[in-house]
Amino acid sequence: MYRIRCNNIVSDFILQFISQTIYILLKIEDMLKLPIFEEFRIIETHKKSITFSDYFRLMNKIKTDVGKEEVSPKRLHQLFLALTFSIKFPSNDIPENFVRMNSRILISNSEHIKQRIRIVYQCEVESNDDYSIYSMLGFVCLGLKVGETARYIDGERLKQIRIEKIISH
């Protein structure tokens, strides 16, 4: 039991250290106009808005999924950065027009093709409409609000989606 508690304290310390280091690097990047995090600028153009419960559950998922073969370290890092700099709300105070975990939403792409999707945790994917938060589409949609457009790189292609409607939370 002591070992588990110690590992959690060390994990929390490491997450805080990484968060502070990234914050400092971003400040240096802005001051010197260096493209240190260029790939994240394309993917993340604004802060995400999420609930505290989604934030804590996702941070715990990141901790448990570090080192697993089926989870990309780059995706965990991107999610960690997005969560660290996100705007957090109590579950009952987040505006209804924001995409949360388990939200069913209607999106459209740059060709105006519409698709219904649901943003879920990786272990909860049940159908072709379910997108894991670890997928690029799931990651990009979380925290957006109705009417917002996001551009992201999927493989080597630049894609664009727009949140048309939130069907349910």
Side-chain angles (χ1 to χ4, degrees), residues 16-79:
Q16 285 292 354
F17 176 77
I18 291 170
S19 174
Q20 291 171 354
T21 302
I22 291 168
Y23 177 78
I24 291 167
L25 286 172
L26 287 170
K27 289 296 183 188
I28 292 170
E29 176 187 36
D30 285 342
M31 289 185 325
L32 300 177
K33 305 298 182 214
L34 297 173
I36 297 170
F37 289 103
E38 190 63 32
E39 65 183 286
F40 299 113
R41 293 239 188 272
I42 294 170
I43 295 169
E44 283 296 315
T45 56
H46 67 284
K47 289 185 177 183
K48 293 185 174 294
S49 295
I50 64 169
T51 65
F52 280 112
S53 60
D54 286 344
Y55 170 80
F56 289 118
R57 185 166 178 202
L58 286 167
M59 286 301 242
N60 283 328
K61 287 296 293 168
I62 290 171
K63 284 182 197 178
T64 59
D65 289 347
V66 168
K68 290 185 177 177
E69 274 186 44
E70 64 272 12
V71 182
S72 160
K74 183 177 178 180
R75 188 57 39 80
L76 289 176
H77 184 75
Q78 291 170 333
L79 182 58

Side-chain angles (χ1 to χ4, degrees), residues 14-166:
I14 290 170
L15 287 174
Q16 285 292 354
F17 176 77
I18 291 170
S19 174
Q20 291 171 354
T21 302
I22 291 168
Y23 177 78
I24 291 167
L25 286 172
L26 287 170
K27 289 296 183 188
I28 292 170
E29 176 187 36
D30 285 342
M31 289 185 325
L32 300 177
K33 305 298 182 214
L34 297 173
I36 297 170
F37 289 103
E38 190 63 32
E39 65 183 286
F40 299 113
R41 293 239 188 272
I42 294 170
I43 295 169
E44 283 296 315
T45 56
H46 67 284
K47 289 185 177 183
K48 293 185 174 294
S49 295
I50 64 169
T51 65
F52 280 112
S53 60
D54 286 344
Y55 170 80
F56 289 118
R57 185 166 178 202
L58 286 167
M59 286 301 242
N60 283 328
K61 287 296 293 168
I62 290 171
K63 284 182 197 178
T64 59
D65 289 347
V66 168
K68 290 185 177 177
E69 274 186 44
E70 64 272 12
V71 182
S72 160
K74 183 177 178 180
R75 188 57 39 80
L76 289 176
H77 184 75
Q78 291 170 333
L79 182 58
F80 174 79
L81 287 175
L83 292 172
T84 299
F85 297 107
S86 65
I87 301 167
K88 295 151 197 79
F89 291 89
S91 295
N92 55 349
D93 286 347
I94 192 166
E96 286 295 316
N97 61 343
F98 280 96
V99 177
R100 311 171 209 178
M101 291 302 298
N102 295 307
S103 290
R104 291 186 189 281
I105 59 176
L106 181 66
I107 61 171
S108 62
N109 63 18
S110 55
E111 290 87 36
H112 303 289
I113 297 171
K114 294 185 178 182
Q115 178 183 5
R116 287 182 184 201
I117 67 169
R118 182 173 71 123
I119 312 303
V120 297
Y121 296 95
Q122 185 173 13
C123 60
E124 297 174 356
V125 174
E126 297 172 353
S127 73
N128 290 337
D129 294 342
D130 291 347
Y131 284 82
S132 164
I133 187 62
Y134 291 159
S135 72
M136 186 54 78
L137 184 58
F139 169 74
V140 169
C141 289
L142 181 70
L144 293 180
K145 64 181 176 180
V146 173
E148 283 189 322
T149 300
R151 295 185 316 165
Y152 64 100
I153 296 175
D154 189 11
E156 294 183 11
R157 295 183 357 182
L158 182 64
K159 294 187 175 184
Q160 178 175 311
I161 57 108
R162 174 183 164 83
I163 307 296
E164 297 292 336
K165 179 181 176 182
I166 294 178

